[in-house]
Amino acid sequence: MAEIIQKDGTWLFDGDTVRIVPGNDKGVSPLRAALGEIAVPLEALAGISFESGRKSGRLRLRLRDGADPLLQIAAGRLGESSDPYRLTVERDRSGVAEYLVDEVRNALLLDGVESGPVDRYLLPGPALPITASAGDGTVTFDGERIRLEWNWKTEESKSSGGPTILAPADVESVEWQPSAGLDNGYMRFRVARAPASARPKYDPYAVELWGFRKDPLMALAGAAVVARLPHPYASAGTGTEAGPEPETAGTAAPGGEDHDALLRRLRELGELHQAGILTAEEFATAKQAVLKRL
């Protein structure tokens, strides 16, 4: 088990899951505080890194594309402070961070976790019910209804119709765009019966965002809905979550694993060791784990 505790959060790895708990420091963003503890299964990880610095370093988790509904809706637009998969590490804890990185990388290697995209969400998304208020509205979602309510700052032509109520089945997609420069952001629910033509300021299916600290909370509400919509990669299929190969494709090992696949894994480990990516100790540990499966 590896664990690191810092002001803005705690990361713990037990061999199967990376648990991320936000800290109580006043600098922790509203999104991370509202999201609470996240349990990231090993199969959802594409990688982990530690970047050292003069005063502090950063731990970063990289998730497989399509694994997390929050990252799906954010599309790389979450700010550093709101990113739950980043942890600022004090300089004197760099050794602990590097140890955690080694443990996670070894587990990914031993389990042969692929780094490519997935066609189903491996994280459940924010807990329900969820309510987020920012910009000109409030979004509430309880799993059955999405409710958009307006405040005194809402354009009258949008608020005059009263709250907007949707069922998840009405929603084709959810868009979240943070404000940038002089351009306001928004979160919009796209529905088939009402093509989005109006600006977010006037669209009853959109909340306009003005760049304030609570704006990322809207991404949480959107992610909760996205988690219950069809996965965007499900129809195309990625091949990463395919079922077992027919028995004719290879001889099954006693544990139910493909004998040829394990032999290929041994060759890959040998190549990584020869390339200097794995140390002798890491290679021996990984090799032993594969041999036990044969």
Side-chain angles (χ1 to χ4, degrees), residues 13 15 41-48 61-62 64 101-114 265:
F13 179 59
L42 194 63
E43 64 175 331
L45 291 179
I48 184 172
L61 278 185
R62 186 164 58 89
R64 298 172 68 182
V101 167
D102 288 342
E103 289 292 293
V104 174
R105 284 179 176 171
N106 287 339
L108 289 171
L109 186 64
L110 291 173
D111 282 26
V113 177
E114 300 289 339
R265 190 65 187 153

Side-chain angles (χ1 to χ4, degrees), residues 78 85 115-116 121 160-162 170 174 179 197 200 202 205 224 241 249 260 270:
L78 277 180
Y85 304 112
S115 60
Y121 291 120
S160 60
D170 298 328
V174 186
S179 60
S197 56
Y202 306 104
Y205 299 101
E241 303 299 326
D260 290 341

